[in-house]
Amino acid sequence: MEGSVAKAPPASLEAICNKVASYYPEAKQDLIHKAYHFADEAHRGQVRSSGEPYMIHPTEVAQTLADLKLDIPSIVTGLLHDTVEDTHATLEQIEKEFGKDIAELVDGVTKLSKMTFKTTEEKQAENFRKMILAMAKDIRVILVKLSDRLNNMRTLEFLNPLKQKVIAQETLDIYAPIANRLGIRGIKMELEDLCLRYLHKEFYYKLAQRIAKTKKEREKYLEDLGAVLDEKLSEYDIQATVTGRAKHFYSIFKKMERRKVDFDQVHDTIAFRIVVDNITECYKALGVIHAGYKPVPGRFKDYIAMPKANAYQSLHTTVIGPNGERVEIQIRTQDMNIVAERGIAAHWKYKEGRFDTRARENVEWVNRLLEWHKDLSDPNEFLETVKIDLFAEDVFVFTPKGEVKQLSHGATPLDFAYAVHTGVGNKCVGAKVNDKIVPLKYRLKSGDSVEIITSPSQTPSKDWLKIVKSSRAKAKIRSYIKQQERDRALELGREILETTLKSFGLSLSKLEKSGEIEKACPRANARTQEELYVAVGYGRISTDLVIQELVPEEAREKKLEAAKAEDQSFLKRVFNAAKKRSEARNAITVEHLDDVLIRFGKCCNPLPGDGIIGFITRGRGVSVHTATCTKAIDNDQERRVDVQWNLTSNDAIKRHVKIRVLSLDEPGLLALMSQTITSCGINIASANIRTTKDKKAIALFDVEVSNISQLQKVTSALEGKKGVINVERIQS
């Protein structure tokens, strides 16, 4: 018998190992081989939505992590990240086979599918909270999660259109901004382009066709200008690597949306990167570029002197290039370029075999997460707070003593006050910027010197939420206002119970002293008597529940009718609950409550299919908002009740929604838009159109739709029409 031949490793495993060896030659790769075969065995027989073997997914996640040049535990986690959730493998088994470090990473990445939540929004928010905390503990968790999401987005075409939109929106809201905050530009840009493809499909393919038509001309322009830039820099003995590229689809889309223009009017779609040896040559190269080409005023940014929050450093300028084309140029050193491409992943120290903990300190945003986690108990509010900060760029301002404070773009003196100290923010009555009195809504600019004026009698106002931009300031103001509302509810609830119990000959103060009042706490899901009073004060529970626990049945039967006549339960009085049925009540079901007056928030106009949340209001029943409505987030979460769409009645309900269409000012375009809407089976209640000085048209349509799917269908159809720049749903 011939000797047995060693089995060659799979091509995908070999590719991962070769990649790791290219940047970490001393690494022992046995663990990668072991993890690959462990995952392959665990996932055997499983297939993806595409019909491919499931093992392709963890393999490609691991390859992305190797592209980021991460350490062995991260790559092993990439291979194992779905085994605990999707197979019979356990966390204990992972720890036994691969060690505690990898087990903790896998645990941090594993989805929280075993946890139960009342709403999908709450599940997403809580899942995100857990992910953030794991990320703060070990940054590698989020790098694996981002690689996982990138691969899922690359294969999104195999899911149904509704799931595509949900996953793409979540990716655009959370994962792409996280990649940006961590400085991983490659992943951020690819995620954004993939999201655009599924959220604005018609627009995406229209843009792809138009860019494809100019591909040859653009490549020739990049080649010619790149050669000229290289030559100019060489004249001044600047050793540089010059590369040119077309900007990615999503950045073009955002420019069109921001400037309200069509593709033909977006001129700065080309960018060059110049990489030099040291910081001195960065500024020298900038001088050469500005000497050769006219810079566009207001478009120069020095991120070397003032790095971004994610440690990104570079000089940015926009110049008028050949043929009048606007060209963005980024100038940086080789080290800066590595950080720009790989972000926080660039801080792994292979020789020491550990992650540079100072890298996490450089990314201030990661550290702020833990502070928000302590301050914000409601998962939805936490999610909203983080999303605000994810999208924010930064400005740098100075205290009167010359200390630098880093704030969100668009920040006001009130944001600055809260950045100094919560007490300063709460007592703020005015501000001086560069020694001049300014209103609290003044938008700060980098370089401003800010002095806060305070008063002992000042307290935060709900109107301040419209002024501040930073998530920290919003969280502190909401916290103060909610505490005030809670205190009022506590006082009111105690008063209501005192009155109700008095009619039964009982004294609330005596029940408190004896501890009897705490018997009613379990019925109200309250841990303490204070929580019980707050629940009654907010109207979340009826006094009847409390009476049932505290008053003997015989006495209750005798006195109940009189008691009800004297003092109807707070919930009944608040809702003025007649038996009148309404269209809104038919559309919505409220957990544990019947015959409740329902109002839809005019701020967000929820549609069947939208995620929704409800809030008890005094005298106006339950107010229903979309789960992402910022005004709803400002409400006290203790007033919140769970609401759901009544699926049996939604199809019959037609709700008015306003959509805004920005287009070129061309003859017949209004008729085309109207025809497009009606061809989708949707009635137009009203239409209003106006033109702008730059030959654009803004059309406002009030349409009647039954659900969110109908709305998405019509917006997608409009986006696909020639001449249409942007379509959006707007608030009333």
Side-chain angles (χ1 to χ4, degrees), residues 207-224:
L207 184 61
Q209 287 174 353
R210 297 177 80 166
I211 288 176
K213 287 179 183 177
T214 61
K215 184 179 179 183
K216 286 185 179 179
E217 296 93 323
R218 190 173 64 253
E219 287 177 348
K220 181 76 166 57
Y221 189 94
L222 286 167
E223 185 181 339
D224 292 347

Side-chain angles (χ1 to χ4, degrees), residues 16-86:
I16 294 169
C17 292
N18 289 340
K19 175 72 74 173
V20 172
S22 69
Y23 64 84
Y24 193 3
E26 304 91 0
K28 293 181 180 179
Q29 299 190 357
D30 296 353
L31 213 56
I32 297 177
H33 283 261
K34 184 177 179 180
Y36 181 92
H37 294 298
F38 183 95
D40 188 38
E41 181 64 33
H43 289 296
R44 185 155 296 169
Q46 294 180 347
V47 294
R48 304 197 74 194
S49 300
S50 61
E52 297 174 313
Y54 192 89
M55 190 58 197
I56 288 176
H57 170 65
T59 301
E60 291 185 353
V61 170
Q63 284 176 333
T64 299
L65 293 165
D67 288 337
L68 290 172
K69 300 185 178 180
L70 284 183
D71 63 321
I72 299 297
S74 299
I75 290 163
V76 169
T77 301
L79 290 167
L80 300 174
H81 76 276
D82 275 339
T83 53
V84 173
E85 181 190 0
D86 294 337

Side-chain angles (χ1 to χ4, degrees), residues 660-696:
R660 179 182 181 274
V661 184
L662 177 69
S663 67
L664 302 177
D665 184 12
E666 294 179 352
L669 201 51
L670 177 61
L672 176 64
M673 288 189 284
S674 300
Q675 184 182 356
T676 302
I677 295 171
T678 53
S679 67
C680 292
I682 292 171
N683 182 50
I684 301 173
S686 67
N688 192 335
I689 192 166
R690 63 181 176 86
T691 56
T692 62
K693 292 179 182 178
D694 57 347
K695 298 190 180 298
K696 303 287 189 315

Side-chain angles (χ1 to χ4, degrees), residues 290-513:
H290 281 181
Y293 299 100
K294 185 178 180 180
V296 177
R299 295 299 301 274
F300 171 66
K301 298 232 176 94
D302 187 345
Y303 292 120
I304 292 178
M306 292 280 199
K308 288 190 175 185
N310 58 18
Y312 173 86
Q313 289 183 288
S314 190
L315 297 177
H316 285 203
T317 187
T318 300
V319 299
I320 306 298
N323 307 327
E325 190 81 31
R326 286 189 176 199
V327 180
E328 183 183 294
I329 296 176
Q330 301 168 358
I331 307 168
R332 60 181 75 135
T333 67
Q334 185 61 44
D335 286 344
M336 292 173 190
N337 193 50
I338 291 170
V339 173
E341 290 303 304
R342 292 168 48 215
I344 202 163
H347 295 281
W348 181 260
K349 292 186 173 181
Y350 297 101
K351 289 181 180 178
E352 285 101 348
R354 61 181 178 82
F355 193 79
D356 185 359
T357 54
R358 288 176 301 172
R360 193 167 71 192
E361 291 169 10
N362 290 336
V363 185
E364 288 298 323
W365 173 71
V366 178
N367 293 328
R368 291 202 294 265
L369 299 174
L370 290 177
E371 182 184 342
W372 295 334
H373 170 66
K374 292 172 188 173
D375 291 345
L376 304 173
S377 58
D378 180 68
N380 288 288
E381 187 178 349
F382 178 77
L383 179 62
E384 184 64 26
T385 301
V386 173
K387 281 166 67 174
I388 290 169
D389 201 72
L390 279 174
F391 287 102
E393 290 296 327
D394 298 300
V395 295
F396 298 86
V397 296
F398 298 91
T399 68
K401 293 182 179 179
E403 296 173 10
V404 178
K405 291 289 181 184
Q406 187 175 340
L407 301 171
S408 305
H409 177 72
T412 66
L414 206 48
D415 291 291
F416 176 86
Y418 277 102
V420 172
H421 191 274
T422 302
V424 175
N426 287 345
K427 300 299 179 184
C428 176
V429 292
K432 286 183 181 180
V433 174
N434 304 325
D435 293 325
K436 293 181 180 177
I437 296 285
V438 297
L440 288 179
K441 63 181 179 182
Y442 172 86
R443 291 183 67 173
L444 297 171
K445 300 182 290 293
S446 286
D448 281 343
S449 180
V450 189
E451 181 184 348
I452 299 299
I453 304 166
T454 60
S455 167
S457 60
Q458 178 69 297
T459 57
S461 159
K462 206 164 189 174
D463 292 336
W464 285 9
L465 290 168
K466 299 173 185 175
I467 296 174
V468 296
K469 300 295 179 186
S470 67
S471 47
R472 174 187 169 86
K474 284 183 182 289
K476 296 298 182 183
I477 294 165
R478 284 176 183 146
S479 176
Y480 182 89
I481 292 168
K482 287 174 183 177
Q483 186 57 50
Q484 295 298 103
E485 290 186 354
R486 190 179 191 279
D487 290 344
R488 286 197 293 271
L490 175 63
E491 187 180 341
L492 180 60
R494 198 176 188 289
E495 198 177 300
I496 290 166
L497 274 177
E498 199 164 24
T499 303
T500 305
L501 290 167
K502 194 174 181 180
S503 67
F504 286 90
L506 296 173
S507 165
L508 181 59
S509 58
K510 287 182 179 179
L511 290 171
E512 286 175 338
K513 286 178 182 177

Side-chain angles (χ1 to χ4, degrees), residues 76-358:
V76 169
T77 301
L79 290 167
L80 300 174
H81 76 276
D82 275 339
T83 53
V84 173
E85 181 190 0
D86 294 337
T87 76
H88 293 299
T90 65
L91 205 57
E92 291 74 20
Q93 197 175 354
I94 297 290
E95 183 172 347
K96 182 182 176 183
E97 296 289 334
F98 300 97
K100 188 176 180 181
D101 184 29
I102 289 171
E104 286 182 352
L105 286 172
V106 171
D107 189 34
V109 178
T110 299
K111 297 168 190 165
L112 307 174
S113 56
K114 293 180 182 178
M115 296 186 72
T116 56
F117 299 96
K118 294 174 183 175
T119 66
T120 55
E121 290 75 28
E122 189 176 320
K123 182 173 182 177
Q124 182 199 40
E126 186 62 25
N127 191 22
F128 183 65
R129 180 197 281 271
K130 296 287 185 183
M131 183 177 71
I132 289 299
L133 292 176
M135 169 181 164
K137 183 179 177 183
D138 191 329
I139 204 72
R140 291 174 293 178
V141 168
I142 198 62
L143 299 178
V144 178
K145 195 79 174 176
L146 284 171
S147 303
D148 175 45
R149 178 52 62 110
L150 178 62
N151 185 250
N152 285 333
M153 285 298 299
R154 286 172 176 170
T155 55
L156 204 59
E157 62 187 286
F158 299 104
L159 301 183
N160 66 59
L162 181 60
K163 279 190 176 181
Q164 286 175 351
K165 283 184 178 291
V166 169
I167 294 171
Q169 190 63 57
E170 181 185 61
T171 302
L172 192 62
D173 285 347
I174 300 297
Y175 291 94
I178 285 179
N180 182 50
R181 273 289 178 175
L182 298 180
I184 313 170
R185 295 168 66 83
I187 288 181
K188 174 241 182 191
M189 290 190 291
E190 186 175 352
L191 285 176
E192 287 177 340
D193 281 354
L194 288 166
C195 290
L196 183 66
R197 176 180 169 186
Y198 294 103
L199 292 173
H200 301 278
K201 192 166 286 189
E202 298 292 337
F203 177 90
Y204 178 88
Y205 287 110
K206 184 170 69 171
L207 184 61
Q209 287 174 353
R210 297 177 80 166
I211 288 176
K213 287 179 183 177
T214 61
K215 184 179 179 183
K216 286 185 179 179
E217 296 93 323
R218 190 173 64 253
E219 287 177 348
K220 181 76 166 57
Y221 189 94
L222 286 167
E223 185 181 339
D224 292 347
L225 182 54
V228 172
L229 291 173
D230 200 29
E231 186 179 336
K232 283 181 179 292
L233 292 167
S234 296
E235 285 177 18
Y236 290 88
D237 296 323
I238 299 173
Q239 299 297 315
T241 303
V242 180
T243 54
R245 61 175 175 80
K247 291 192 174 180
H248 69 300
F249 282 16
Y250 188 76
S251 68
I252 296 172
F253 167 73
K254 292 304 289 182
K255 273 190 169 63
M256 291 172 64
E257 193 178 55
R258 188 167 58 250
R259 298 178 189 172
K260 310 300 182 189
V261 296
D262 191 30
F263 174 74
D264 295 330
Q265 295 168 282
V266 178
H267 301 296
D268 49 342
T269 60
I270 288 172
F272 279 87
R273 181 184 304 152
I274 298 172
V275 180
V276 296
D277 292 335
N278 54 58
I279 291 178
T280 301
E281 296 212 325
C282 286
Y283 291 98
K284 191 176 174 182
L286 178 70
V288 172
I289 300 300
H290 281 181
Y293 299 100
K294 185 178 180 180
V296 177
R299 295 299 301 274
F300 171 66
K301 298 232 176 94
D302 187 345
Y303 292 120
I304 292 178
M306 292 280 199
K308 288 190 175 185
N310 58 18
Y312 173 86
Q313 289 183 288
S314 190
L315 297 177
H316 285 203
T317 187
T318 300
V319 299
I320 306 298
N323 307 327
E325 190 81 31
R326 286 189 176 199
V327 180
E328 183 183 294
I329 296 176
Q330 301 168 358
I331 307 168
R332 60 181 75 135
T333 67
Q334 185 61 44
D335 286 344
M336 292 173 190
N337 193 50
I338 291 170
V339 173
E341 290 303 304
R342 292 168 48 215
I344 202 163
H347 295 281
W348 181 260
K349 292 186 173 181
Y350 297 101
K351 289 181 180 178
E352 285 101 348
R354 61 181 178 82
F355 193 79
D356 185 359
T357 54
R358 288 176 301 172

